Amino acid sequence: MRQDGRSNTSTRQISITTDFMLHANGSALIKFGNTKVICTATVEERVPPFLKGSGRGWITSEYSMLPASTHVRKARESSRGQVEGRTQEIQRLIGRALRSVVNLDLLGERTIWIDCDVIQADGGTRTAAITGGFIALVSCINSMMARGLIKESPINNYIAAVSVGIYNGEEMLDLCYEEDSNAEVDMNIVMTDSNEFIELQGTAEGAPFSDESLKKLIAIGQAGIVGIIGIQKETLGDMNKLVMKWE
Amino acid sequence: MRQDGRSNTSTRQISITTDFMLHANGSALIKFGNTKVICTATVEERVPPFLKGSGRGWITSEYSMLPASTHVRKARESSRGQVEGRTQEIQRLIGRALRSVVNLDLLGERTIWIDCDVIQADGGTRTAAITGGFIALVSCINSMMARGLIKESPINNYIAAVSVGIYNGEEMLDLCYEEDSNAEVDMNIVMTDSNEFIELQGTAEGAPFSDESLKKLIAIGQAGIVGIIGIQKETLGDMNKLVMKWE
Amino acid sequence: MRQDGRSNTSTRQISITTDFMLHANGSALIKFGNTKVICTATVEERVPPFLKGSGRGWITSEYSMLPASTHVRKARESSRGQVEGRTQEIQRLIGRALRSVVNLDLLGERTIWIDCDVIQADGGTRTAAITGGFIALVSCINSMMARGLIKESPINNYIAAVSVGIYNGEEMLDLCYEEDSNAEVDMNIVMTDSNEFIELQGTAEGAPFSDESLKKLIAIGQAGIVGIIGIQKETLGDMNKLVMKWE
Amino acid sequence: MRQDGRSNTSTRQISITTDFMLHANGSALIKFGNTKVICTATVEERVPPFLKGSGRGWITSEYSMLPASTHVRKARESSRGQVEGRTQEIQRLIGRALRSVVNLDLLGERTIWIDCDVIQADGGTRTAAITGGFIALVSCINSMMARGLIKESPINNYIAAVSVGIYNGEEMLDLCYEEDSNAEVDMNIVMTDSNEFIELQGTAEGAPFSDESLKKLIAIGQAGIVGIIGIQKETLGDMNKLVMKWE
Amino acid sequence: MRQDGRSNTSTRQISITTDFMLHANGSALIKFGNTKVICTATVEERVPPFLKGSGRGWITSEYSMLPASTHVRKARESSRGQVEGRTQEIQRLIGRALRSVVNLDLLGERTIWIDCDVIQADGGTRTAAITGGFIALVSCINSMMARGLIKESPINNYIAAVSVGIYNGEEMLDLCYEEDSNAEVDMNIVMTDSNEFIELQGTAEGAPFSDESLKKLIAIGQAGIVGIIGIQKETLGDMNKLVMKWE
Amino acid sequence: MRQDGRSNTSTRQISITTDFMLHANGSALIKFGNTKVICTATVEERVPPFLKGSGRGWITSEYSMLPASTHVRKARESSRGQVEGRTQEIQRLIGRALRSVVNLDLLGERTIWIDCDVIQADGGTRTAAITGGFIALVSCINSMMARGLIKESPINNYIAAVSVGIYNGEEMLDLCYEEDSNAEVDMNIVMTDSNEFIELQGTAEGAPFSDESLKKLIAIGQAGIVGIIGIQKETLGDMNKLVMKWE
């Protein structure tokens, strides 16, 4: 049993609150246990230079942590004058993942900004951000369709993410900070509802890992994703305005 | 009557939730109507260079807005690589105000960081930040006293802030965004529980204002502050751990 | 009596030399005792993005101190790679103040840059900058009218600024550095020739201040402004080319 | 057959030239076909702040591309004033990978800088950098041992990297730029000589990929790594000064 | 005859006002015709890291132009966030030149900052800065000797600078802006009172220049320097406190 | 005799390899003894703002050193976030020198970027960069003519550069690092094939230098340039595609 009583194949308690931000076009507050991330989607009526005149849209993401979200106060990147490497890696990952399930041609020449702001961090912030960012994105797309900005939903699949890892020699799902910071192996998995991979990033923090371990980690992750997409579906059902393309 | 039904001398509904952040030494979520600010206080065991070896402590503040907190998405200062002038003005104001009611000699050589992160903005974010920042500060000080880090509370007065202004030719209290962005005069008042001034900043946005108007604005503001400090007192009472020096 | 023999309600000796810069469209060297500021106004035939196509003009200000202007050499902001918070506060204040007496619609789509460079600092640099910046602005406007760039003067009032404060328990006018750096209360007042307020910024540096003190400070400041605008009027009369709208 | 005549499971021609830099403590010029990277290792007798006094050493990496290394000239990061996200991701990856096969306790309190400068880019620069960086590192360690700076080699395994991907629906090894930039899936694999994983990063560029594909990609990659480590062994044998710990 | 009536071998009118800055340790306002530069020397009781513990001092220089000093307003480097290449070249030149006539061992471990701020620019600002910077430096050194900080003057020669160039096919001395910006060849010469070179920088702006021209330019420059050092000597004589080592 | 056996009037062994970069429009690897610089020329189909609509082209240069090119590892300018003064001076010099032999009107509205990346540094990197940059430029121009982008070669002369200096009291040619870093005088000379000067930059590092020394240095430099241009001519002859205008 893990320190919070979970089994190795269970996630922490996950909850998603939608549309609680007044000004964003879509929003979600997602919690994976003590990890809390505000995800918002905002539409901007222009695209990056490389897409000008193409008729295609773009989805980009920014990620940030409140200074008091971590155990030790984290200096603001705005005060330090630059965005650190870890942040850039994470926001590139979120943007890439969400773009992979959207038909950008159907968006029109506009950008959707997915902002993921970590209010409280206890491990797994990037996977929470992808999972919650997807909900904010769907909510934003739905409101664009309701306003007639786009006719057909450009979203063609669910997407969710979860971490897996090896801690104390055991493969386990959805590591909290305590587990994550002492893990031998740390892996993030992003998958669709068709049980296929969007992104797979595994790192040996201590010793290298075997083929065997890799297989176990992937299996645990795949099962975890199924559960998380289930929660997404419930959430979007609650919204009573899901108009995804494939349904 | 104002657009939300208030009289000219009423604030919006104000609520303060304390200690809802896991890692901060003190925290408060403050709401002035739709304006929501997370205020946290974090202790760092060192001081800025100009205080090294002095035995005195320091209080400093940082202020930021979530990109989706405003009507139009606001670009992150970390992405732009610099903190804008407005932000610097506000965080200098918050730090200066809170320092004015603290005996820094009693803090010891440590810094308390007051982070004010605007989750949602509807006017009056800087006055909400000062008012809520004070609660986070008291909570932080109380926990330091409980842990025996300091013996005597260095806080020697309550402090709260509110905006007043002239909108449509009428002096009024606690302007929301709609009023604030069209106000002829905009003024921020920071006061103590002894009905004295810490800071007074008034700006004619349109036409200059008379002595007469100035007096009315100050009177409305003073009355408003009395009410807000009342709410602070209730909040701190609820915390059941208020050990301020003067009580 | 104050250290330089002045009474509490006197300013230091003020002098203004106009048009002593070869290339600027308007210029003034203003002295408040040992404080010396070069103020220049330069026209640029374009406006910030938010005004493009609006037909309106803009006035903006930049403020800087020579490294050797202060008691201890002040590092250049260009070397440090960023403009500090104090500088931004001051240049925002100067720009806002000067814009408040100009009808920007009459300027046409152009920007007037008001550069205020402190050659020597002895307290009150920001109020000297506003007072001298106004003279540079009028001189610039006059030359634009002489060249036929604009037909009607967009300036609709005089504007001047002065500091007041409480030092050794006494309210006094136009503090020098020695007084200012030890003041209990520090306040900057910007007013028009109609005896109305443009900006009022008061800060308790030590103890909070009472209603009573506030009233005294404002009264002393108002009287001071009347004298300073008198000097501005003489200066502009000397220029023999004053063509302000209201005269 | 692929465009350059290779089979899907072959790498391009790989060659490594060691110690061709006059001033570096270790160096390698590595070529994967037209991709050429200069890898150098330099010792600095100090460590980052978080390791001061720990007795442990550190390995860090920087990665850069010559402007003319790419098809279209790439603007220098020094001119743009910041290091882009992709660069940070790559240099974090290289550093993390090389640290994983080094016993940092045996290094002593010093840092080894692994600089990877891409002279010419034709796909796979990060995997070439890891593979060549390892050779530069070994050469550097050997010279440190020869000089008596360290007694025992801290290196405890070979490490190499290679890319795999799906292009035109087929899984293949070591993609060149043409293949890489049109790949459906792109994956980088870092492994040791014990056939275990250090890092695995797979990304669906177009459609998501199945379990089946993942297995094939990993199998091809593992076989590729075996060959590349063979080339490393020959190179190090040529150097006639390999003194790794485990041999 | 040149546009301002001078012969090809004459400088513009040069004047130097010393010690007109209240706070600097030494200062000079130097004018070469319409070019006006404020030069100040300030002592800082520490040295750059590479000199710590060496017992030697350092002289460094910073150069800046007021925005309104030039024909077209020049954007501040502090606002642009970086110091441009031309500025760096000039301040490196000034520092190098002044260090060349100072025995840094006699300074003690302290830095003298030479700040050169161009109030008005009409060609030759860098040569005016070196010439005036030397006066500020001497004045600073003299005040340090008067205060007993140093016993022996570390200055071992006069130094002055002047520009020469080819304009309309003729070699001439001390070019004004109009001449300089259209010159075929532009050269700056820095020399001592012993008629020897400290620095020589010549650039063909249009066509390359011959040996013949080079000789003429140098001869004109040498003669010009003699005159300028004469003015420096008069200025320092006026100061009535020249205590240079070699006199 | 010098440390490497050369006479005072000899250069080190110079070799130039052309067109060894796959993607650049022109390239040269130039060696002056142990100094090795990769020079590339890349065409960009646009010009800086000040040339837009002028029909003229531009040549600009960037210079950088690999971290391991120097005796002690040199921190990357991209990591430090700014380009240092020395680098800016050098790249301004290279750009200015190469522009001086090109008729920019014949280039059309396009920019040629000359990138000079120092692989290994042993003194004289800037003169090697100019000499090799010229070869890369010619190669680039020739390929543009071959593709019909320009009709007539805009190059109107050869250009080469070399350092001279005084070391141990003797005037000598092409200083290596050991000589350069201890030289009393350091001078860089840039000349054309017509034996005329483009640039001349001499600096007294220790004592000032006399007219006599200046003449000797120039004479040695001129002779050196003749030899270097001879090597350039051979190299360009080898290329078998030299189509310079004047031949």
Side-chain angles (χ1 to χ4, degrees):
Chain A
M1 276 244 286
R2 291 154 81 178
Q3 47 196 339
D4 53 4
R6 282 188 285 157
S7 74
N8 284 347
T9 55
S10 304
T11 65
R12 290 169 290 180
Q13 186 166 350
I14 296 173
S15 76
I16 308 176
T17 312
T18 55
D19 291 333
F20 76 116
M21 294 284 280
L22 202 60
H23 307 308
N25 301 104
S27 62
L29 169 62
I30 188 162
K31 300 183 193 171
F32 273 60
N34 282 322
T35 290
K36 300 181 193 172
V37 185
I38 294 180
C39 306
T40 58
T42 324
V43 182
E44 186 187 29
E45 290 295 328
R46 59 176 192 178
V47 284
F50 68 90
L51 284 178
K52 263 186 197 151
S54 71
R56 305 187 73 205
W58 191 242
I59 295 174
T60 191
S61 175
E62 290 192 342
Y63 167 98
S64 187
M65 304 180 91
L66 290 205
S69 65
T70 51
H71 284 76
V72 172
R73 183 181 182 276
K74 192 175 164 59
R76 281 174 205 273
E77 293 178 324
S78 56
S79 300
R80 297 171 46 194
Q82 57 178 19
V83 178
E84 51 184 58
R86 176 186 173 274
T87 300
Q88 296 205 42
E89 248 178 69
I90 293 175
Q91 53 200 21
R92 282 158 56 89
L93 170 63
I94 301 170
R96 204 163 57 222
L98 293 180
R99 282 194 300 276
S100 77
V101 291
V102 174
N103 182 339
L104 298 171
D105 290 321
L106 295 182
L107 259 191
E109 273 198 38
R110 47 178 69 92
T111 298
I112 299 182
W113 289 82
I114 305 294
D115 285 292
C116 300
D117 287 87
V118 177
I119 301 302
Q120 199 162 276
D122 188 33
T125 60
R126 80 187 69 186
T127 48
I130 292 170
T131 305
F134 176 70
I135 301 298
L137 174 63
V138 171
S139 167
C140 173
I141 292 286
N142 288 347
S143 84
M144 289 167 79
M145 291 178 69
R147 282 181 290 155
L149 283 178
I150 48 179
K151 299 217 174 122
E152 195 180 346
S153 172
I155 299 180
N156 47 48
N157 214 333
Y158 281 87
I159 191 171
V162 78
S163 74
V164 290
I166 304 182
Y167 172 68
N168 279 343
E170 294 180 37
E171 288 80 7
M172 55 181 64
L173 182 68
D174 186 26
L175 286 69
C176 69
Y177 176 77
E178 176 68 21
E179 293 162 343
D180 183 61
S181 56
N182 296 291
E184 291 100 55
V185 177
D186 180 25
M187 181 174 290
N188 292 296
I189 297 179
V190 187
M191 297 188 79
T192 65
D193 193 26
S194 350
N195 203 23
E196 293 189 309
F197 298 95
I198 294 296
E199 191 98 23
L200 191 77
Q201 295 192 338
T203 301
E205 303 286 351
F209 55 102
S210 65
D211 245 2
E212 194 65 20
S213 288
L214 177 59
K215 276 176 200 150
K216 272 196 212 163
L217 289 169
I218 289 173
I220 291 175
Q222 282 175 315
I225 293 279
V226 171
I228 296 170
I229 290 183
I231 293 168
Q232 287 181 325
K233 287 182 177 173
E234 270 175 50
T235 305
L236 292 172
D238 284 355
M239 289 171 68
N240 227 358
K241 49 183 174 181
L242 177 65
V243 284
M244 284 205 214
K245 190 182 174 182
W246 66 94
E247 304 212 332
Chain B
M1 276 244 284
R2 291 155 80 179
Q3 45 196 340
D4 53 3
R6 283 187 285 156
S7 75
N8 284 348
T9 57
S10 305
T11 65
R12 291 168 289 179
Q13 185 166 351
I14 296 175
S15 76
I16 309 177
T17 311
T18 55
D19 290 334
F20 76 115
M21 293 285 280
L22 200 61
H23 306 308
N25 301 104
S27 62
L29 169 62
I30 188 163
K31 301 184 193 171
F32 274 59
N34 283 321
T35 290
K36 301 182 192 173
V37 186
I38 294 180
C39 305
T40 59
T42 323
V43 182
E44 186 186 30
E45 290 294 329
R46 59 175 192 179
V47 285
F50 68 91
L51 284 177
K52 263 187 195 148
S54 70
R56 306 188 72 207
W58 191 243
I59 295 174
T60 191
S61 175
E62 290 191 343
Y63 167 97
S64 187
M65 305 181 91
L66 290 205
S69 66
T70 50
H71 284 76
V72 171
R73 183 181 183 276
K74 191 173 164 62
R76 281 175 203 272
E77 293 178 324
S78 55
S79 300
R80 296 173 47 195
Q82 58 178 16
V83 178
E84 53 184 57
R86 176 186 172 275
T87 300
Q88 295 204 44
E89 249 179 67
I90 293 176
Q91 54 199 22
R92 280 157 58 88
L93 170 63
I94 300 171
R96 203 164 58 222
L98 294 180
R99 282 193 300 276
S100 77
V101 292
V102 174
N103 182 339
L104 298 171
D105 290 322
L106 296 181
L107 258 192
E109 273 197 39
R110 47 177 69 93
T111 299
I112 300 182
W113 290 81
I114 305 295
D115 286 292
C116 301
D117 287 88
V118 178
I119 301 303
Q120 199 161 277
D122 188 33
T125 61
R126 81 186 69 188
T127 49
I130 292 169
T131 305
F134 176 71
I135 300 297
L137 174 64
V138 171
S139 166
C140 173
I141 294 285
N142 288 348
S143 83
M144 289 166 79
M145 292 179 69
R147 282 180 291 154
L149 283 179
I150 49 180
K151 296 215 175 124
E152 195 181 345
S153 174
I155 298 180
N156 47 47
N157 214 333
Y158 281 87
I159 191 171
V162 77
S163 74
V164 290
I166 305 182
Y167 172 68
N168 279 343
E170 295 181 36
E171 288 79 8
M172 55 181 66
L173 183 68
D174 186 27
L175 286 68
C176 68
Y177 176 77
E178 176 67 21
E179 293 163 344
D180 184 62
S181 55
N182 296 292
E184 289 101 55
V185 177
D186 179 26
M187 180 174 292
N188 292 296
I189 297 179
V190 187
M191 297 188 79
T192 64
D193 193 26
S194 351
N195 204 22
E196 292 189 310
F197 298 96
I198 294 296
E199 191 97 23
L200 192 76
Q201 294 191 339
T203 301
E205 302 286 351
F209 56 101
S210 65
D211 245 2
E212 194 65 21
S213 288
L214 177 60
K215 275 175 202 151
K216 271 196 211 163
L217 289 170
I218 290 174
I220 291 176
Q222 282 175 314
I225 293 279
V226 171
I228 296 171
I229 290 183
I231 294 169
Q232 287 181 325
K233 287 181 176 174
E234 270 175 52
T235 304
L236 292 171
D238 283 356
M239 289 170 69
N240 227 356
K241 50 184 173 178
L242 177 65
V243 284
M244 281 205 217
K245 191 183 173 182
W246 65 95
E247 304 212 334
Chain C
M1 274 245 287
R2 292 155 80 178
Q3 48 195 338
D4 53 3
R6 282 187 285 156
S7 75
N8 284 348
T9 57
S10 304
T11 65
R12 291 169 287 180
Q13 185 166 351
I14 296 173
S15 76
I16 309 176
T17 311
T18 55
D19 290 333
F20 75 115
M21 293 286 279
L22 200 61
H23 306 309
N25 301 104
S27 62
L29 169 63
I30 188 162
K31 300 183 194 172
F32 272 59
N34 281 323
T35 290
K36 300 181 192 172
V37 186
I38 294 180
C39 306
T40 58
T42 323
V43 182
E44 186 187 29
E45 290 294 330
R46 58 175 193 179
V47 285
F50 67 90
L51 284 177
K52 262 186 197 151
S54 69
R56 304 187 74 206
W58 191 243
I59 295 174
T60 191
S61 175
E62 289 192 344
Y63 167 98
S64 187
M65 305 180 91
L66 290 205
S69 66
T70 50
H71 284 75
V72 171
R73 183 182 184 276
K74 191 174 165 60
R76 281 175 205 272
E77 293 178 325
S78 57
S79 300
R80 297 171 47 195
Q82 56 177 19
V83 178
E84 52 184 58
R86 176 186 173 273
T87 300
Q88 296 203 44
E89 249 178 67
I90 294 176
Q91 53 200 22
R92 280 158 55 89
L93 170 63
I94 301 170
R96 203 165 57 223
L98 294 180
R99 282 193 301 274
S100 77
V101 292
V102 174
N103 182 340
L104 298 171
D105 290 321
L106 295 181
L107 258 192
E109 273 198 37
R110 48 176 69 92
T111 298
I112 299 182
W113 290 81
I114 305 295
D115 285 292
C116 300
D117 286 88
V118 177
I119 301 303
Q120 200 161 275
D122 188 33
T125 60
R126 81 188 69 187
T127 49
I130 292 169
T131 305
F134 176 70
I135 300 298
L137 174 64
V138 171
S139 167
C140 173
I141 294 284
N142 288 348
S143 84
M144 289 166 79
M145 292 178 69
R147 280 179 292 153
L149 283 179
I150 48 179
K151 298 215 172 124
E152 195 180 346
S153 173
I155 299 181
N156 46 48
N157 214 333
Y158 279 88
I159 191 171
V162 77
S163 75
V164 290
I166 304 182
Y167 172 68
N168 280 341
E170 295 181 36
E171 288 80 7
M172 55 181 64
L173 183 67
D174 186 26
L175 287 69
C176 68
Y177 176 77
E178 176 67 20
E179 293 163 344
D180 183 62
S181 56
N182 295 291
E184 291 100 55
V185 177
D186 180 25
M187 181 175 289
N188 293 296
I189 298 179
V190 187
M191 297 188 79
T192 64
D193 193 26
S194 350
N195 204 24
E196 292 190 309
F197 298 96
I198 295 296
E199 191 99 21
L200 191 76
Q201 294 192 339
T203 301
E205 303 285 352
F209 55 102
S210 66
D211 245 2
E212 194 63 22
S213 288
L214 177 60
K215 276 176 201 151
K216 273 197 210 161
L217 289 170
I218 289 174
I220 291 176
Q222 282 175 315
I225 293 279
V226 171
I228 296 171
I229 290 183
I231 293 168
Q232 287 180 325
K233 287 184 176 172
E234 271 177 48
T235 304
L236 292 173
D238 284 356
M239 288 171 70
N240 229 357
K241 49 183 172 179
L242 176 65
V243 284
M244 284 205 215
K245 191 183 174 182
W246 65 96
E247 305 211 332
Chain D
M1 276 244 287
R2 291 155 80 179
Q3 49 195 335
D4 54 3
R6 283 189 283 156
S7 75
N8 284 347
T9 57
S10 304
T11 65
R12 290 169 288 179
Q13 186 166 353
I14 296 173
S15 76
I16 308 177
T17 311
T18 56
D19 290 335
F20 75 115
M21 294 285 280
L22 201 61
H23 306 307
N25 301 104
S27 61
L29 169 63
I30 188 163
K31 301 183 192 171
F32 273 60
N34 282 323
T35 290
K36 301 180 192 172
V37 185
I38 294 180
C39 305
T40 59
T42 323
V43 182
E44 186 187 29
E45 290 294 329
R46 59 175 193 179
V47 285
F50 67 91
L51 285 178
K52 262 185 197 152
S54 70
R56 304 187 74 205
W58 192 243
I59 295 174
T60 191
S61 175
E62 290 192 343
Y63 167 98
S64 187
M65 304 180 90
L66 291 205
S69 66
T70 49
H71 284 75
V72 172
R73 183 181 183 277
K74 191 174 165 59
R76 281 175 204 272
E77 292 178 325
S78 56
S79 301
R80 297 172 47 195
Q82 58 178 17
V83 177
E84 52 185 59
R86 175 184 173 276
T87 300
Q88 295 204 44
E89 248 178 68
I90 293 175
Q91 53 200 22
R92 280 158 58 88
L93 170 63
I94 300 170
R96 203 163 58 222
L98 294 180
R99 283 193 300 276
S100 77
V101 292
V102 175
N103 182 338
L104 298 171
D105 290 321
L106 295 181
L107 258 191
E109 273 197 37
R110 46 177 71 93
T111 299
I112 300 182
W113 289 81
I114 305 294
D115 286 292
C116 301
D117 287 87
V118 177
I119 302 303
Q120 199 160 276
D122 187 33
T125 61
R126 81 186 69 186
T127 49
I130 292 170
T131 305
F134 176 71
I135 300 298
L137 174 63
V138 171
S139 167
C140 173
I141 293 285
N142 288 347
S143 83
M144 289 166 80
M145 293 179 69
R147 281 180 292 154
L149 283 179
I150 49 179
K151 298 216 172 123
E152 194 181 345
S153 173
I155 299 180
N156 47 47
N157 214 332
Y158 280 87
I159 191 171
V162 77
S163 74
V164 290
I166 304 181
Y167 172 67
N168 279 343
E170 296 181 35
E171 289 79 9
M172 54 181 65
L173 183 68
D174 185 26
L175 287 68
C176 67
Y177 176 77
E178 175 68 21
E179 293 163 345
D180 184 62
S181 55
N182 295 293
E184 290 100 54
V185 178
D186 179 26
M187 181 174 290
N188 292 295
I189 297 179
V190 187
M191 298 188 80
T192 65
D193 193 26
S194 349
N195 204 24
E196 291 189 309
F197 297 96
I198 294 297
E199 191 98 23
L200 192 76
Q201 295 191 338
T203 302
E205 303 285 352
F209 56 102
S210 65
D211 245 1
E212 194 66 19
S213 287
L214 176 60
K215 276 175 200 152
K216 271 196 211 161
L217 289 169
I218 289 174
I220 292 175
Q222 284 176 313
I225 293 279
V226 171
I228 296 171
I229 290 183
I231 294 168
Q232 287 181 325
K233 287 183 176 173
E234 270 176 50
T235 304
L236 292 172
D238 284 356
M239 289 170 69
N240 228 358
K241 49 182 171 176
L242 175 66
V243 284
M244 284 204 214
K245 191 182 173 184
W246 67 94
E247 306 213 330
Chain E
M1 276 244 285
R2 291 154 81 178
Q3 48 195 336
D4 53 4
R6 283 187 284 156
S7 74
N8 284 348
T9 57
S10 305
T11 65
R12 290 168 289 179
Q13 185 166 351
I14 296 173
S15 76
I16 309 176
T17 310
T18 56
D19 291 333
F20 76 115
M21 294 285 279
L22 201 61
H23 305 308
N25 301 104
S27 62
L29 169 62
I30 188 163
K31 300 183 194 171
F32 273 60
N34 282 322
T35 290
K36 301 181 192 172
V37 185
I38 294 180
C39 306
T40 59
T42 323
V43 183
E44 186 187 31
E45 289 295 328
R46 59 175 193 178
V47 285
F50 68 90
L51 285 178
K52 263 185 196 151
S54 70
R56 306 187 71 205
W58 191 244
I59 294 173
T60 192
S61 175
E62 290 191 343
Y63 167 98
S64 186
M65 305 180 90
L66 290 206
S69 66
T70 49
H71 285 75
V72 172
R73 184 182 183 276
K74 191 174 165 59
R76 282 176 203 272
E77 293 177 326
S78 56
S79 300
R80 297 172 46 195
Q82 57 177 18
V83 178
E84 51 184 58
R86 174 185 175 276
T87 300
Q88 296 204 44
E89 248 179 69
I90 293 175
Q91 53 199 23
R92 280 157 58 87
L93 170 63
I94 301 170
R96 204 163 57 221
L98 294 179
R99 282 194 300 275
S100 77
V101 292
V102 175
N103 182 339
L104 298 171
D105 289 322
L106 296 181
L107 259 191
E109 274 198 37
R110 48 177 68 93
T111 299
I112 300 182
W113 290 82
I114 305 294
D115 285 292
C116 300
D117 287 88
V118 178
I119 302 302
Q120 199 162 275
D122 188 34
T125 61
R126 81 186 70 186
T127 50
I130 292 170
T131 304
F134 176 70
I135 300 299
L137 174 63
V138 171
S139 167
C140 174
I141 293 285
N142 288 347
S143 83
M144 289 166 79
M145 293 179 69
R147 282 181 290 155
L149 283 179
I150 50 180
K151 297 214 173 125
E152 194 180 347
S153 173
I155 299 180
N156 47 48
N157 214 331
Y158 280 87
I159 191 172
V162 76
S163 75
V164 290
I166 304 182
Y167 172 68
N168 279 343
E170 295 180 37
E171 287 79 7
M172 55 181 64
L173 183 67
D174 186 27
L175 286 69
C176 68
Y177 177 77
E178 175 68 20
E179 293 163 344
D180 184 62
S181 56
N182 296 291
E184 292 100 55
V185 177
D186 179 26
M187 181 174 290
N188 292 296
I189 298 179
V190 187
M191 298 188 79
T192 65
D193 193 27
S194 348
N195 203 24
E196 293 189 309
F197 298 96
I198 294 296
E199 191 97 23
L200 192 77
Q201 294 191 337
T203 301
E205 303 286 350
F209 56 101
S210 65
D211 245 3
E212 194 64 20
S213 288
L214 177 60
K215 277 175 199 149
K216 273 196 210 162
L217 289 170
I218 289 174
I220 292 175
Q222 282 176 314
I225 293 279
V226 171
I228 296 170
I229 289 183
I231 294 168
Q232 286 180 326
K233 287 182 176 173
E234 271 176 50
T235 304
L236 292 173
D238 284 355
M239 289 171 66
N240 228 358
K241 51 183 171 179
L242 176 66
V243 285
M244 283 203 215
K245 189 182 174 183
W246 65 95
E247 303 214 333
Chain F
M1 277 244 285
R2 292 154 81 178
Q3 47 195 338
D4 54 2
R6 281 189 285 158
S7 74
N8 284 347
T9 55
S10 304
T11 65
R12 290 169 288 180
Q13 186 166 351
I14 296 173
S15 76
I16 308 176
T17 312
T18 55
D19 290 334
F20 76 114
M21 294 285 279
L22 201 62
H23 306 307
N25 301 104
S27 63
L29 169 63
I30 188 163
K31 300 184 194 172
F32 273 60
N34 281 323
T35 289
K36 299 181 193 172
V37 186
I38 294 181
C39 306
T40 58
T42 323
V43 182
E44 185 187 30
E45 291 294 330
R46 60 175 192 178
V47 285
F50 67 91
L51 284 178
K52 261 183 198 154
S54 70
R56 304 187 74 206
W58 191 243
I59 295 174
T60 192
S61 176
E62 290 191 343
Y63 167 98
S64 187
M65 304 181 91
L66 290 206
S69 66
T70 50
H71 285 75
V72 172
R73 184 180 182 278
K74 192 175 165 60
R76 281 176 204 271
E77 294 177 324
S78 56
S79 300
R80 297 172 46 195
Q82 58 177 17
V83 177
E84 51 184 59
R86 175 185 173 275
T87 300
Q88 296 205 43
E89 248 179 68
I90 294 176
Q91 53 200 23
R92 281 159 56 89
L93 170 63
I94 301 171
R96 203 164 58 222
L98 294 180
R99 282 193 300 276
S100 76
V101 292
V102 174
N103 182 338
L104 298 171
D105 289 322
L106 295 181
L107 259 192
E109 273 197 38
R110 46 176 70 92
T111 299
I112 299 182
W113 290 82
I114 305 294
D115 286 292
C116 301
D117 287 87
V118 177
I119 301 302
Q120 198 161 274
D122 188 34
T125 61
R126 81 188 69 186
T127 49
I130 292 170
T131 305
F134 175 71
I135 300 298
L137 174 63
V138 172
S139 166
C140 173
I141 294 285
N142 288 349
S143 83
M144 289 166 79
M145 293 179 68
R147 282 181 291 154
L149 283 179
I150 48 179
K151 298 218 174 122
E152 195 181 346
S153 173
I155 299 180
N156 46 48
N157 214 332
Y158 280 87
I159 191 171
V162 77
S163 75
V164 291
I166 304 182
Y167 171 70
N168 280 342
E170 295 181 37
E171 287 81 6
M172 55 181 65
L173 183 67
D174 186 26
L175 286 69
C176 68
Y177 176 77
E178 176 68 21
E179 294 163 344
D180 184 61
S181 56
N182 295 291
E184 291 99 54
V185 178
D186 180 25
M187 181 174 290
N188 293 295
I189 298 179
V190 187
M191 297 189 79
T192 64
D193 193 26
S194 350
N195 203 24
E196 292 190 310
F197 298 96
I198 294 296
E199 191 98 22
L200 192 76
Q201 294 191 337
T203 301
E205 303 286 351
F209 55 100
S210 66
D211 244 2
E212 194 64 20
S213 288
L214 177 59
K215 276 175 200 149
K216 272 197 211 163
L217 289 170
I218 289 173
I220 291 175
Q222 283 176 314
I225 292 280
V226 171
I228 297 170
I229 290 184
I231 294 168
Q232 286 180 325
K233 287 183 176 173
E234 271 176 50
T235 304
L236 292 172
D238 284 356
M239 288 171 68
N240 228 357
K241 49 184 173 176
L242 176 66
V243 284
M244 284 205 214
K245 190 181 173 182
W246 64 95
E247 303 212 332

